[in-house]
RNA sequence: CGGGGCGUGGCGCAGUUUGGCUAGCGCGCCUGCCUUGGGAGCAGGAGGCCGGAGGUUCAAAUCCUCUCGCCCCGACCA
């Protein structure tokens, strides 16, 4: 490919919309262009990288016995009604009607479709196990698309689905996929960390997310520096050690705290520690108000609370409900005298003489004590794990980090097969629901994550395995006959050897060509300049390390092939 | 959905508070000259109904109303 022909419109300046490195460089290097919020066009270089990642995914999926299929983007509402997700998915689903007023959606995922696809064909245990995957666009009308390809409304996803006769089969599929994912991300040059995660709305039991550690990541994870425990904070647990405060209970006291509603304001006003305050949050669970208690310096984990309550919906109560339940405006809720169920975090049980809202405007209570002043309905772990909490497996203090979720593996069980009546007959002729798993990889997000881990102030530093081209050949001056000739010669030889190579044949000053080469991130740059050329040499510069050295032109091809092989 | 902000040539911005000549600057783009080891220089040029609609006014990028789009924070979310 000639640089003068390559459609890679690079930008000197950063478009205002881009915040993080991957987004900036994808725009600046001419990989993508925005079409609408969260919707992008892939330009030639961007598409090439996407295709390379897809090729790696295909190889590893095929290796564990998966077969590729392709399912439609436009999906009829009927199937979604069968699983109840037409209603559950809510405004995140792109919906449309055809000319006959039939309802469709743009598929946000494909569990319904794949299950319906195989339910009429798979009848016997002899047809199992079955593993099917596709690489297809997905559509989710995200509340807030951001960071370019990291969170788009249209995105490319590899989704694999496994169908087994029993738990053992599902387990095999799950761990096969897990290990395939480790190989896929490693081959993409990514350092990932599998973490235990919450299964969320998709349903199911065991699940891991594959996180690319990056400060720009949207997910927060905690991990143990000593053992292999790592989890999304949504799901993370910790080793609880009770540290009962043995102080004698003091007399309950009401104090005026005008305009002090938040924990920060209370601690400043009363001169107490946040750890001695009770945070009382009023929630509405399946329509009924409940109170949740956590220590003032802790954060409530809504997912844990929802599990404890076993409710379908859970949301923070609005000001009107809070006022009705507590008799006070927002900021003065406390457990004393509340008539709704009280769920307390287990850390709360160790607290003595705490500060809590008085359920009365501009008043708090001091020396509140559990058992004496109020009783809790349930005690459970309902708080967010923090850095420094002890590892649930080995007890070491845990660290935290941010991550980009590039893949996830789920054990679905029979949720979809039961709803969609996808069954098979076992050896005893008995009808059983298929045991399913599903396994996703965000392809565009993976590409963005690669850039997050491989860039510097000049641009992208592609790992060889996913680089859009391996090599760029840059003559310092194309007008110099000797240089042009040598460049052409090297270019032709590399092409003949199967190397993916670009020749920068533009009549530009060398600085411009070097800057573009760095920005686009070719792993190998071969520079042909007057000095080295006199000795029959060309100069090789490696983008990853910045190393540069001269090689005789006749040896360039073999040398480059060696670099590409790794 | 709540809060904040932004829409002015392809990109980055100024001008808007206090209405007033022909709407400006940098980059990019085109032509020519020149230059060629890290985004050169000179000369000439193209390109904008100032997001859209309505209103106020002698006069609107600028003031008012309505709308559409986008970005950031939050809530939310495989």
């Amino acid at each position: 490919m000639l640089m003068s022909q390559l459609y890679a419109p690079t930008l000197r300046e950063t478009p205002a919309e881009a915040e993080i490195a991957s987004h900036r460089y994808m725009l600046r290097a001419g990989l993508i262009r925005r079409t609408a919020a969260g919707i992008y066009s892939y330009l030639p270089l961007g598409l090439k990288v996407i295709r390379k990642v897809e090729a790696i995914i295909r190889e590893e999926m095929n290796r564990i016995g998966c077969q590729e299929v392709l399912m439609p983007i436009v999906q009829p509402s009927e199937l979604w009604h069968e699983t109840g997700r037409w209603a559950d998915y809510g405004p995140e689903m792109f919906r449309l009607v055809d000319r006959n007023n039939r309802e469709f959606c743009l598929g946000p995922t494909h569990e319904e479709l794949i299950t319906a696809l195989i339910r009429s064909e798979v009848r016997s245990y002899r047809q199992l196990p079955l593993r099917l995957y596709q690489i297809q666009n997905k559509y989710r009308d995200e509340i807030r698309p951001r960071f370019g390809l990291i969170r788009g409304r249209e995105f490319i996803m590899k989704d694999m689905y496994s169908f087994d006769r029993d738990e053992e089969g599902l387990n095999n599929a799950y761990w096969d996929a897990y290990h395939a994912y480790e190989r896929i991300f490693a081959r993409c040059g990514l350092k990932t960390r599998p973490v235990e995660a919450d299964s969320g709305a998709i349903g199911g039991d065991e699940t891991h997310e594959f996180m690319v550690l990056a400060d720009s990541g949207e997910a927060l994870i905690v991990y143990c520096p000593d053992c292999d425990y790592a989890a999304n904070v949504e799901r993370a647990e910790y080793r609880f050690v009770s540290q009962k405060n043995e102080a004698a209970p003091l007399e309950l006291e009401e104090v005026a705290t005008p305009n002090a509603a938040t924990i920060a304001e209370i601690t400043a006003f009363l001169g107490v520690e946040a750890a001695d305050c009770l945070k009382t949050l009023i929630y509405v669970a399946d329509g009924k108000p409940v109170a949740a208690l956590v220590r003032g310096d802790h954060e409530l984990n809504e997912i844990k609370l929802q599990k404890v309550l076993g409710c379908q919906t859970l949301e923070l109560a609005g000001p009107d409900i809070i006022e009705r339940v507590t008799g006070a405006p927002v900021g003065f809720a406390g457990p004393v005298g509340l008539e709704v169920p009280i769920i307390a975090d287990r850390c709360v049980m160790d607290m003595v003489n705490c500060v809590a809202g008085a359920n009365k405007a501009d008043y708090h209570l001091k020396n509140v004590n559990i058992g004496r002043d109020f009783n809790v309905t349930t005690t459970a772990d309902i708080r967010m794990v923090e850095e420094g909490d002890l590892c649930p497996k080995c007890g070491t203090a845990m660290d935290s980090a941010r991550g980009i979720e590039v893949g996830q593996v789920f054990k679905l069980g029979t949720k979809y097969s039961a709803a969609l009546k996808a069954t098979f007959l076992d050896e005893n002729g008995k009808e059983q629901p298929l045991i399913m798993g599903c396994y996703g990889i965000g392809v565009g997000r993976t590409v963005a994550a690669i850039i997050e881990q491989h860039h510097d102030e000049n641009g992208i530093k592609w790992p060889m395995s996913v680089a859009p081209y391996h090599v760029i050949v840059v003559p310092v001056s194309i007008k110099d006959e000797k240089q042009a000739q040598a460049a052409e010669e090297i270019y032709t030889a590399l092409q003949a050897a199967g190397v993916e190579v670009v020749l920068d044949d533009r009549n530009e000053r060398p600085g411009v060509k070097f800057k573009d080469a760095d920005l686009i991130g070719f792993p190998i740059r071969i520079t042909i300049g007057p000095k080295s050329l006199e000795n029959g040499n060309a100069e090789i510069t490696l983008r990853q390390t910045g190393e540069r050295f001269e090689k005789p032109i006749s040896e360039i091809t073999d040398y480059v092939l060696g670099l590409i092989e790794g």
Side-chain angles (χ1 to χ4, degrees):
Chain A
M1 173 59 71
L2 298 177
M3 196 63 178
S4 61
Q5 307 296 309
L6 179 67
Y7 188 62
T10 57
L11 301 172
R12 286 195 187 194
E13 287 172 276
T14 304
E17 69 195 67
E19 291 283 312
I20 64 172
S22 60
H23 191 192
R24 281 202 307 270
Y25 286 140
M26 287 179 108
L27 289 168
R28 281 196 55 204
L31 269 54
I32 58 170
R33 283 293 182 266
R34 192 176 62 81
T35 299
I39 298 179
Y40 289 85
S41 298
Y42 304 101
L43 275 42
L45 289 175
L47 185 60
K48 266 184 163 284
V49 178
I50 295 262
R51 293 287 183 247
K52 291 213 168 176
V53 171
E54 289 176 349
I56 291 171
I57 291 173
R58 285 196 171 90
E59 279 183 34
E60 296 296 341
M61 286 292 106
N62 295 345
R63 188 209 289 251
I64 59 166
C66 302
Q67 300 173 66
E68 186 168 3
V69 296
L70 189 62
M71 291 179 279
I73 290 166
V74 177
Q75 306 181 8
S77 64
E78 285 82 6
L79 287 171
W80 291 83
H81 281 125
E82 281 189 55
T83 55
R85 289 211 291 179
W86 185 259
D88 290 352
Y89 234 99
E92 218 175 284
M93 186 184 254
F94 276 107
R95 295 161 206 258
L96 58 153
V97 287
D98 70 7
R99 60 171 70 195
N100 295 313
N101 237 11
R102 278 187 287 257
E103 292 183 300
F104 291 85
C105 66
L106 301 182
T109 177
H110 283 75
E111 282 86 13
E112 276 78 1
L113 226 62
I114 190 92
T115 309
L117 183 70
I118 60 114
R119 71 176 164 187
S120 45
E121 317 296 339
V122 174
R123 310 267 62 161
S124 157
Y125 71 93
R126 293 172 198 274
Q127 291 166 282
L128 301 176
L130 183 61
R131 298 175 182 180
L132 300 175
Y133 75 100
Q134 66 169 348
I135 297 176
Q136 174 65 292
N137 280 6
K138 297 278 191 282
Y139 296 82
R140 293 182 195 172
D141 195 358
E142 293 282 350
I143 291 173
R144 187 143 88 83
R146 61 178 136 183
F147 299 152
L149 261 38
I150 299 257
R151 178 163 298 255
R153 295 195 293 172
E154 174 182 82
F155 56 98
I156 303 169
M157 180 166 160
K158 185 285 305 181
D159 44 325
M160 194 270 273
Y161 303 89
S162 66
F163 302 91
D164 284 278
R165 52 191 294 196
D166 53 23
E167 284 295 327
E168 190 191 343
L170 172 60
N171 230 14
N172 290 337
Y174 187 85
W175 291 106
D176 278 355
Y178 184 102
H179 293 121
Y181 277 25
E182 289 181 322
R183 289 193 296 271
I184 288 166
F185 295 125
R187 287 181 63 184
C188 288
L190 283 171
K191 288 192 192 70
T192 54
R193 176 132 207 173
V195 305
E196 293 180 12
D198 182 73
S199 52
I202 203 162
D205 317 316
E206 191 166 10
T207 175
H208 284 85
E209 293 169 336
F210 283 76
M211 293 288 185
V212 172
L213 298 188
D215 291 338
S216 56
E218 294 180 286
L220 193 59
I221 66 171
V222 291
Y223 61 93
C224 176
D226 283 357
C227 74
D228 63 353
Y229 182 77
N232 193 314
V233 288
E234 291 177 351
R235 143 83 193 225
E237 296 175 357
Y238 65 100
R239 180 174 293 181
F240 178 66
V241 180
S242 180
Q243 291 172 304
K244 183 76 181 167
N245 186 331
E246 298 298 345
L250 300 174
E251 197 176 327
L252 192 64
E253 184 186 339
E254 189 175 89
V255 290
T257 51
N259 299 320
T262 66
I263 293 288
E265 286 161 359
I266 292 295
T267 53
F269 188 85
L270 293 176
V272 295
E273 296 295 320
D276 290 323
C277 295
L278 270 178
K279 202 188 284 186
T280 308
L281 299 156
I282 308 298
Y283 275 87
V284 177
D286 289 343
K288 291 188 212 104
V290 297
L293 293 183
V294 292
R295 221 167 71 185
D297 58 332
H298 287 159
E299 241 184 289
L300 183 110
N301 182 327
E302 289 188 7
I303 290 169
K304 288 182 180 175
L305 178 60
Q306 186 161 11
K307 275 189 188 140
V308 170
L309 291 167
C311 57
Q312 287 300 306
T313 65
L314 179 73
E315 53 185 8
L316 262 176
D320 44 328
I321 296 176
I322 288 177
E323 195 136 3
R324 206 180 69 225
V325 170
T326 69
V330 178
F332 300 95
V336 180
L338 277 192
E339 309 244 318
V340 299
I342 296 176
I343 319 300
D345 182 65
R346 54 191 174 181
C347 294
V348 168
M349 304 310 284
D350 286 343
M351 295 170 71
V352 171
N353 298 329
C354 11
V355 172
N359 295 325
K360 183 171 156 190
D362 293 335
Y363 281 92
H364 277 74
L365 296 176
K366 284 172 83 171
N367 304 325
V368 172
N369 285 294
I370 300 165
R372 183 189 72 182
D373 303 318
F374 72 97
N375 285 303
V376 303
T377 315
T378 311
T379 307
D381 171 21
I382 57 168
R383 78 163 169 94
M384 209 67 100
V385 168
E386 296 168 348
E387 193 167 304
D389 280 331
L390 304 183
C391 170
K393 279 193 179 168
C394 73
T396 307
M398 293 188 287
D399 287 327
S400 71
R402 303 199 71 86
I404 300 167
E405 180 195 340
V406 288
Q408 187 158 18
V409 290
F410 275 99
K411 286 186 182 175
L412 288 173
T414 57
K415 174 170 174 170
Y416 295 94
S417 51
L420 292 161
K421 301 187 178 58
T423 60
F424 67 99
L425 294 180
D426 66 15
E427 301 96 313
N428 305 315
K430 195 166 167 248
E431 191 171 44
Q432 305 276 7
L434 288 157
I435 315 279
M436 292 175 57
C438 74
Y439 316 86
I441 291 179
V443 178
R445 188 181 275 192
T446 298
V447 172
I450 293 169
I451 298 174
E452 289 296 323
Q453 282 193 350
H454 298 274
H455 71 271
D456 62 16
E457 65 283 359
N458 293 314
I460 305 168
K461 305 197 286 191
W462 291 116
M464 193 65 76
S465 58
V466 296
Y469 288 90
H470 301 130
V471 178
I472 184 163
V473 178
V474 184
V476 167
S477 170
I478 194 78
K479 289 249 177 108
D480 180 312
E481 276 300 321
K482 279 189 209 146
Q483 287 179 43
Q485 212 167 46
E488 178 78 30
E489 187 186 317
I490 292 169
Y491 171 66
T492 311
L494 286 172
Q495 270 190 324
V499 174
E500 295 171 291
V501 56
V502 171
L503 172 61
D504 198 339
D505 59 332
R506 296 175 301 171
N507 181 23
E508 289 285 357
R509 295 170 60 83
V512 173
K513 292 185 274 199
F514 294 153
K515 287 286 184 189
D516 273 342
D518 287 350
L519 179 60
I520 292 170
F522 299 91
I524 302 170
R525 189 181 88 203
I526 299 175
T527 314
I528 293 122
K531 286 165 252 167
S532 50
L533 196 55
E534 263 178 40
N535 310 318
N537 289 345
E539 184 181 290
I540 293 180
T541 310
L542 303 183
R543 183 72 177 93
Q544 279 286 354
T545 59
E547 288 172 82
R548 64 172 66 183
F549 34 83
E550 289 193 7
K551 288 282 163 190
I553 289 174
S554 55
E555 295 172 18
I556 289 277
T557 302
D558 284 342
Y559 191 79
V560 165
L561 284 173
L563 287 174
I564 293 171
E565 305 294 318

